């Protein structure tokens, strides 16, 4: 039987999380609106937090120490001990856009996307986001434009395909991926949420891939994480949570056989807050039959 366990109730806003490293056994996740970066030690149960000045869309460990974070429209380095913030790159100056989700590829290159201003959850200025990569020598490159809400991403084991979510059209895309060159091409749709399924599937948000090559998608406004077969687009499994707005998902645990899931309480109506007091929690799902993969650090 699949079981869901609460590990934190401190997350109050939308926040993609970064995957649990088997080296540190710590879970890193963010609280976007408050600029919070949380680090939860699974061995001790101790949770640490720092707050930055602005919105934080992602936080990824660096091989050389500290974290690379999406802070407003910048990609910056944060020293956890000193709290020092160093800007590595800035994009889309003069806009209200911000960075959202991000991951590193197998060479330690960072991929991160932006989104337009969001005053209401899931409602943004359309087509203003872009997908970028940041090389290990801090060169930033734009790859895809006209994105609504840039969200989850991951790669196949052989690094030949990159999966990527734009939330508003409710699609999971695939690109042919050239790892050595750091390029994407041949965009196509692998999972599309049909019109009329908004209450069932919601908006695709964060994503990860398991060891069998299937993708797990956190579905905002649908209380669920779904497992899809990207080859057929078919739904394979669903896990329901006691919170409407599910925001991101990753594998963790010593054997990478646990699923960690974030949720949001940002701008929930008061009556909804009463009905779902666990909104804004981080959940741990155990007794799964599949395993995930360890994530990649930023090597810059």
């Amino acid at each position: 039987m699949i079981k869901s366990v609460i590990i934190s109730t401190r997350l109050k806003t939308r926040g993609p999380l970064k995957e649990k490293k088997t080296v540190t056994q710590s879970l890193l996740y963010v609280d976007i609106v408050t600029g919070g970066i949380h680090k939860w030690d699974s061995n001790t149960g101790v949770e640490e937090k720092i707050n930055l000045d602005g919105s934080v869309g992602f936080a990824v460990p660096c091989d050389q120490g500290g974290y690379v974070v999406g802070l407003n429209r910048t990609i910056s380095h944060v020293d956890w001990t000193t709290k020092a913030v160093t800007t590595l790159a800035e994009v889309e100056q003069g806009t209200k856009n911000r960075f959202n989700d991000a991951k590193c590829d197998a060479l330690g290159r960072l991929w991160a996307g932006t989104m337009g201003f969001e005053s209401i959850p899931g409602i943004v200025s359309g087509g203003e986001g872009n997908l970028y990569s940041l090389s290990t020598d801090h060169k930033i490159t734009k790859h895809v434009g006209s994105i609504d809400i840039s969200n989850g991403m991951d790669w196949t084991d052989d690094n030949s395909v990159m999966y990527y979510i734009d939330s508003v059209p409710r699609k999971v895309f695939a690109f042919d991926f050239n790892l050595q060159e750091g390029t994407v091409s041949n965009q196509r749709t692998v999972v599309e949420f049909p019109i009329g399924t908004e209450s069932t599937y919601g908006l695709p948000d964060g994503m990860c891939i398991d060891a069998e090559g299937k993708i797990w998608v956190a579905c905002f406004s649908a209380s669920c994480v779904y497992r899809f077969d990207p080859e057929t687009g078919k739904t394979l499994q669903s896990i329901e949570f006691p919170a409407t707005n599910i925001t991101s998902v990753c594998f963790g645990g010593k054997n990478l056989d646990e699923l960690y899931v974030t949720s949001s309480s940002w701008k929930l109506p008061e009556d909804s807050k009463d009905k779902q007091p666990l909104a804004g929690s981080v959940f741990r799902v155990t007794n799964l039959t599949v395993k995930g993969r360890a994530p990649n650090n930023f090597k810059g």
Side-chain angles (χ1 to χ4, degrees):
M1 179 185 295
I2 292 175
K3 297 180 180 180
S4 178
V5 179
I6 305 164
I7 66 168
S8 175
T9 57
R10 298 184 184 181
L11 188 67
K12 297 303 177 186
T13 64
R14 294 185 62 186
L17 76 168
K18 296 306 113 188
E19 300 177 17
K20 189 177 182 184
K21 290 293 289 180
T22 56
V23 174
T24 65
Q25 290 296 299
S26 294
L27 180 73
L28 196 67
Y29 60 96
V30 301
D31 194 346
I32 292 176
V33 176
T34 67
I37 304 175
H38 297 246
K39 182 166 60 173
W40 176 74
D41 187 321
S42 66
N43 293 313
T44 64
V46 173
E47 183 176 4
E48 301 177 70
K49 184 183 77 166
I50 61 175
N51 275 90
L52 303 182
D53 185 16
S55 299
V56 177
F58 64 86
V60 177
C62 300
D63 269 359
Q64 299 178 7
Y67 300 92
V68 61
V69 305
L71 177 60
N72 300 319
R73 293 183 305 277
T74 75
I75 298 175
S76 298
H77 178 270
V78 174
D79 185 303
W80 189 266
T81 302
T82 66
K83 311 299 187 292
V85 179
T86 304
T87 299
L88 305 180
E90 183 173 2
V91 300
E92 302 166 25
Q93 292 91 335
T95 72
K96 293 183 177 181
N97 294 1
R98 66 167 177 82
F99 274 103
N100 199 32
D101 211 347
K103 272 193 178 80
C104 289
D105 63 28
L107 292 182
R109 182 190 296 114
L110 181 76
W111 291 78
T114 57
M115 56 183 282
F117 179 69
E118 182 182 34
S119 58
I120 300 173
I123 306 297
V124 299
S125 303
E128 295 187 0
N130 301 284
L131 176 64
Y132 299 91
S133 66
L134 184 73
S135 65
T136 56
D137 60 357
H138 303 165
K139 176 185 177 182
I140 194 158
T141 302
K142 175 182 169 181
H143 297 274
V144 183
S146 300
I147 294 165
D148 291 312
I149 300 179
S150 181
N151 240 313
M153 62 192 77
D154 218 326
W155 292 264
T156 55
D157 272 341
D158 64 1
N159 298 303
S160 66
V161 176
M162 176 180 177
Y163 296 115
Y164 174 69
I165 288 174
D166 186 352
S167 295
V168 174
R170 304 176 69 225
K171 293 181 179 181
V172 181
F173 298 104
F175 295 96
D176 292 341
F177 186 68
N178 187 316
L179 177 63
Q180 296 303 318
E181 298 295 328
T183 57
V184 292
S185 60
N186 188 27
Q187 181 177 350
R188 64 266 188 197
T189 300
V190 292
V191 179
E192 183 170 6
F193 297 179
I195 294 173
T197 63
E198 287 81 4
S199 62
T200 307
Y201 283 93
L203 296 176
D205 206 314
M207 175 178 64
C208 64
I209 194 168
D210 64 32
E212 297 177 1
K214 312 307 181 188
I215 56 175
W216 295 74
V217 179
C219 290
F220 192 84
S221 79
S223 302
C224 277
V225 168
Y226 286 93
R227 186 188 189 218
F228 295 101
D229 185 340
E231 297 296 325
T232 65
K234 292 183 178 180
T235 302
L236 301 176
Q237 187 176 354
S238 65
I239 303 173
E240 190 171 354
F241 296 87
T244 300
N245 295 332
I246 303 301
T247 54
S248 199
V249 58
C250 74
F251 282 93
K254 293 180 179 179
N255 299 312
L256 291 171
D257 58 355
E258 300 172 346
L259 206 62
Y260 288 78
V261 178
T262 51
S263 65
S264 170
S265 65
W266 182 50
K267 293 194 174 181
L268 277 179
E270 287 303 319
D271 58 344
S272 294
K273 290 181 180 179
D274 293 337
K275 294 176 182 177
Q276 46 181 307
L278 296 180
S281 299
V282 179
F283 301 92
R284 177 174 59 194
V285 182
T286 59
N287 289 16
L288 294 169
T289 59
V290 296
K291 296 182 179 182
R293 301 179 310 180
N296 303 306
N297 286 353
F298 181 58
K299 296 187 181 299

